[in-house]
Amino acid sequence: MSILLDIDHIDMVFPTPKGPFTALSDVSLKIKKGEFVSLIGHSGCGKSTVLNVVAGLYQASKGGVVLNGKEVNEPGPERAVVFQNHSLLPWLSAYENVELAVDQVFGKSKTKAEKKEWIEHNLELVHMDHAMHKRPDEISGGMKQRVGIARALAMQPEILLMDEPFGALDALTRAHMQDSLMEIQAELNNTVIMITHDVDEAVLLSDRIVMMTNGPAATVGEILDINLERPRDRLSLAEDPEYTHLRSEVLKFLYEKQRKVEPISRKSLSGSKKKTEAA
Amino acid sequence: MTTITALFSKINDSHIASERFKGVSGDLAKVIVFPMLGILGFLLLWSVAAQNIDTSLGKFPGPASVVEQFGNLYEEHVREREKAEAFYERQEKRNADRMAKDPDFVPKIRDYTGKETFLDQIITSLVTVVSGFLLAAAIAIPLGIAVGLSKPLNSAVNPIVQIFKPVSPLAWLPLVTMVVSALYNTPDPSVPKSFLNSMITVTLCCLWPMVINTSVGVASIDSDLVNVSKVLRLPPLTHVRKIVLPASIPMIFTGMRLSFGVAWMVLIAAEMLAQNPGLGKFVWDEFQNGSSDSLSRIMAAVLVIGFIGFLLDRGMLQIQRYVSWDKASADR
Ligand SMILES: Nc1ncnc2c1ncn2[C@@H]1O[C@H](COP(=O)(O)OP(=O)(O)O)[C@@H](O)[C@H]1O
Ligand SMILES: [Mg+2]
């Protein structure tokens, strides 16, 4: 299949008060149409930065992002983003949140009735039709995330970008959401980049897992193809030797090859220092 | 055995019932009983203190004499209205008579120039404070949004706001008065100069807190929401209308309530200082008058000023509750 998105030798350098900070160095990744790619890596390695560059919210310091043969430099609805903290407008109902996106993307090309139908269709897709006139503060975290996904899907994006979409949810809700996402994926076959720090989630959902090295100057470490048959079922997969193998590959990368060394000791040290100062 | 359990359940029931009753009566106490006690205590303290304060205008007025003055003030208002009516009646009759004698006569209608009553002064002050406040909002909210959205504009405007914010609007009053009389000199003004002076003073007082709160509200919008707007490529005006304005409504209202309260206080002082019509002038006139009733009339005015200030704040709160999506912010 053809290449839809080409992340081409990207560097990202942030200016900080302590001088420039190189978050990403030479990140390259080609994504085919209809592919589900997970980005996994330790917290702070630069996963969100990659996603924000693809979304156009950050400008790469070097290199570029090519979508459908055209370079992209600014955000747009063809690269819809699902943010970690739902980012629904709190003063609008679920329906109105999706409506804002649909009005903007299909303002002229759809009639009022068509738009209404399209909004309701997308909310049904994420099983939120029963609560579509509720505001974000009246629904649970999982439901908010569902609406966020519906809003992104309603833009009919070329590629769906998800930054730890289920990271803030409890384990049970998360499993539920993963199943929903697989179901939607089976129907729409979207191209997706999803950031996660959950190994099971990555293996369960993806066609490929891109594992990033630790920052600074993080880059793509290894890429793991997941050729498990679809539809996938979390229960039967649990005993599947192939699944177990893939899972341990990711774990090995994260906890042997890219072990994160620093935090705990240093933090507790500075903590005790403060305490002595206070005393 | 059964009787014991029955007894227990009965005790339990009555316990629950009393708990429930306590809940209701607790609310009742909070809403009615304790405030009443507070007011009674204050009245008691006031009357005792009043009896022990001798001024050159007699004893300090206690609650009773203030209540009496409320009655007097109202009667004076009614009497003044009757006088005005009588005046217009006489004028009409006179004009009609002259017209009957001389068909070419063009009648001149003169306004009644009686003394403004306490009620008139209340209305004047209210109209002034509301107009000044609305004018300030019309300037401050767009400005605040622009400043909140643009970092360069923020850096440009911030020092000016920071310097003018701590200035008492009363300090502006002489300047405002001079500028108004220089620029606004139509021979037959539709709005009196004194009204403009007071109103602009109120505007100056409201402007800074509103600009600051609006701009802070706008600048502190959740960056995720701004990103949503970017991904959707919302045009600038839609971005302001659909994202910025609703997101900062709670902060905008905080600024509005803050400045409205201060504006009411400042207006009264400005009216006293500049002899502009309104409650402040009423207080000042009574003070200059120096009759034995003056103090109790001033005290009546003080109570009215306080009560109106309270009502204005409540009104703003209700509007905020109605307009704002963030119901919690209205209760802060
Ligand atoms: N806007 C920014 N300015 C400066 N440094 C940033 C910025 N965004 C991210 N970083 C830094 O880049 C690194 C990667 O961040 P991020 O992409 O958010 O990590 P992840 O999503 O993998 O947890 C971190 O060290 C972070 O401090
Ligand atoms: Mg992140």
Side-chain angles (χ1 to χ4, degrees):
Chain A
M1 255 196 274
S2 61
I3 300 293
L4 177 78
L5 184 87
D6 187 358
I7 301 173
D8 189 13
H9 299 283
I10 278 180
D11 280 11
M12 187 76 216
V13 182
F14 289 114
T16 67
K18 290 186 216 148
F21 173 79
T22 307
L24 301 178
S25 160
D26 200 28
V27 173
S28 286
L29 185 65
K30 287 180 171 43
I31 294 173
K32 287 180 277 201
K33 199 170 159 49
E35 206 177 12
F36 194 116
V37 175
S38 286
L39 225 55
I40 202 165
H42 286 291
S43 157
C45 73
K47 306 179 296 287
S48 295
T49 307
V50 172
L51 203 82
N52 281 328
V53 170
V54 175
L57 294 166
Y58 287 172
Q59 273 297 318
S61 319
K62 214 171 168 190
V65 177
V66 178
L67 180 75
N68 268 332
K70 262 185 255 150
E71 181 161 359
V72 288
N73 288 316
E74 49 169 21
E78 77 285 351
R79 281 158 288 135
V81 186
V82 177
F83 298 91
Q84 178 168 7
N85 290 316
H86 70 81
S87 67
L88 299 176
L89 308 183
W91 53 90
L92 297 182
S93 69
Y95 181 93
E96 290 165 328
N97 264 287
V98 180
E99 189 180 32
L100 182 72
V102 170
D103 277 345
Q104 188 57 26
V105 178
F106 301 105
K108 277 163 200 131
S109 58
K110 276 191 199 306
T111 65
K112 239 186 183 165
E114 281 171 340
K115 275 190 236 170
K116 182 168 186 288
E117 203 182 316
W118 177 242
I119 296 164
E120 287 172 356
H121 168 75
N122 280 286
L123 283 165
E124 264 164 47
L125 211 56
V126 297
H127 305 300
M128 278 302 296
D129 40 324
H130 62 287
M132 60 183 174
H133 296 296
K134 293 208 163 139
R135 291 215 196 152
D137 59 358
E138 298 169 324
I139 58 182
S140 69
M143 287 159 100
K144 281 181 237 188
Q145 215 47 276
R146 283 173 193 274
V147 178
I149 292 172
R151 176 173 63 187
L153 290 174
M155 299 176 204
Q156 225 165 37
E158 303 253 15
I159 185 162
L160 192 59
L161 309 174
M162 303 206 269
D163 192 348
E164 300 191 22
F166 312 139
L169 306 177
D170 63 275
L172 228 62
T173 313
R174 195 184 310 166
H176 223 72
M177 297 292 295
Q178 290 160 357
D179 291 340
S180 278
L181 190 58
M182 281 196 286
E183 183 188 307
I184 292 166
Q185 203 43 24
E187 193 172 327
L188 302 179
N189 200 30
N190 275 314
T191 314
V192 181
I193 301 180
M194 181 177 81
I195 294 177
T196 180
H197 51 229
D198 179 338
V199 178
D200 288 296
E201 181 171 278
V203 179
L204 183 67
L205 295 176
S206 327
D207 298 315
R208 268 197 299 164
I209 299 179
V210 175
M211 295 174 267
M212 289 186 64
T213 63
N214 287 340
T219 187
V220 174
E222 283 176 30
I223 298 182
L224 191 66
D225 284 313
I226 311 287
N227 290 317
L228 297 169
E229 219 171 293
R230 287 182 193 270
R232 295 175 187 166
D233 173 57
R234 72 176 68 244
L235 284 181
S236 51
L237 278 181
E239 275 135 50
D240 188 327
E242 171 72 4
Y243 176 85
T244 321
H245 167 73
L246 291 167
R247 197 172 171 279
S248 62
E249 283 294 302
V250 181
L251 286 173
K252 250 186 237 156
F253 178 87
L254 288 177
Y255 298 107
E256 276 173 19
K257 299 176 195 164
Q258 290 297 323
R259 238 188 112 124
K260 236 185 153 178
V261 259
E262 18 135 29
I264 309 158
S265 56
R266 216 190 274 170
K267 245 181 213 159
S268 63
L269 245 176
S270 68
S272 61
K273 213 187 240 167
K274 252 178 219 149
K275 253 179 230 151
T276 48
E277 270 172 14
Chain B
M1 195 58 201
T2 45
T3 46
I4 291 176
T5 33
L7 196 69
F8 257 113
S9 76
K10 220 177 217 163
I11 290 171
N12 252 352
D13 279 356
S14 66
H15 175 71
I16 289 167
S18 76
E19 194 86 315
R20 216 177 276 150
F21 177 71
K22 220 193 212 162
V24 172
S25 66
D27 286 349
L28 207 73
K30 231 165 92 187
V31 176
I32 298 177
V33 178
F34 289 133
M36 277 307 202
L37 283 178
I39 291 172
L40 278 178
F42 169 74
L43 289 177
L44 199 72
L45 219 68
W46 175 14
S47 35
V48 170
Q51 276 165 6
N52 295 312
I53 302 175
D54 281 305
T55 72
S56 59
L57 296 175
K59 276 217 177 331
F60 192 85
S65 54
V66 170
V67 169
E68 189 193 323
Q69 283 311 320
F70 272 120
N72 286 350
L73 287 166
Y74 181 70
E75 266 166 36
E76 276 165 33
H77 174 76
V78 174
R79 233 177 294 136
E80 196 66 25
R81 277 298 127 90
E82 277 165 4
K83 263 202 229 164
E85 230 163 79
F87 169 86
Y88 283 119
E89 233 168 63
R90 273 200 311 272
Q91 176 172 270
E92 221 168 277
K93 196 155 164 247
R94 214 167 31 227
N95 285 337
D97 285 349
R98 287 189 68 168
M99 292 247 279
K101 278 182 206 154
D102 173 12
D104 294 334
F105 174 73
V106 183
K108 224 187 198 167
I109 307 231
R110 261 181 261 273
D111 282 340
Y112 177 69
T113 48
K115 184 168 158 275
E116 281 126 333
T117 66
F118 186 56
L119 259 78
D120 293 333
Q121 305 285 37
I122 292 178
I123 304 283
T124 307
S125 285
L126 273 176
V127 170
T128 314
V129 82
V130 170
S131 346
F133 175 78
L134 289 180
L135 178 63
I139 300 168
I141 293 174
L143 182 64
I145 289 176
V147 168
L149 287 176
S150 151
K151 284 233 172 69
L153 192 63
N154 189 2
S155 321
V157 171
N158 200 35
I160 301 168
V161 172
Q162 294 302 336
I163 285 175
F164 284 149
K165 192 186 67 155
V167 177
S168 162
L170 294 177
W172 287 104
L173 193 59
L175 298 175
V176 171
T177 310
M178 295 317 288
V179 171
V180 165
S181 53
L183 298 181
Y184 185 73
N185 44 11
T186 46
D188 186 25
S190 53
V191 274
K193 272 181 198 167
S194 59
F195 171 77
L196 278 186
N197 293 338
S198 304
M199 187 189 82
I200 293 173
T201 309
V202 168
T203 303
L204 283 171
C205 163
C206 294
L207 208 56
W208 315 119
M210 275 204 250
V211 169
I212 291 173
N213 273 279
T214 306
S215 65
V216 168
V218 169
S220 58
I221 295 178
D222 187 352
S223 66
D224 271 1
L225 299 187
V226 177
N227 283 342
V228 167
S229 172
K230 281 186 189 158
V231 167
L232 285 173
R233 289 211 184 118
L234 293 183
L237 219 64
T238 318
H239 172 67
V240 169
R241 217 159 40 88
K242 296 265 172 147
I243 311 269
V244 172
L245 207 53
S248 39
I249 278 273
M251 271 300 265
I252 292 178
F253 262 91
T254 305
M256 281 167 101
R257 266 177 69 199
L258 208 77
S259 53
F260 209 19
V262 179
W264 181 241
M265 288 197 250
V266 163
L267 174 65
I268 305 298
E271 286 165 351
M272 285 178 78
L273 203 63
Q275 300 289 295
N276 290 343
L279 277 169
K281 182 165 157 53
F282 175 87
V283 170
W284 188 251
D285 285 351
E286 287 300 332
F287 178 59
Q288 293 299 323
N289 199 357
S291 81
S292 56
D293 285 341
S294 285
L295 287 184
S296 42
R297 288 160 78 93
I298 290 175
M299 197 61 204
V302 164
L303 291 180
V304 166
I305 290 168
F307 193 63
I308 289 177
F310 168 73
L311 287 185
L312 289 178
D313 190 56
R314 280 291 127 152
M316 282 300 287
L317 197 66
Q318 286 306 323
I319 298 175
Q320 178 174 15
R321 287 228 175 93
Y322 181 73
V323 177
S324 176
W325 49 274
D326 187 6
K327 300 299 169 202
S329 78
D331 298 326
R332 249 172 247 151

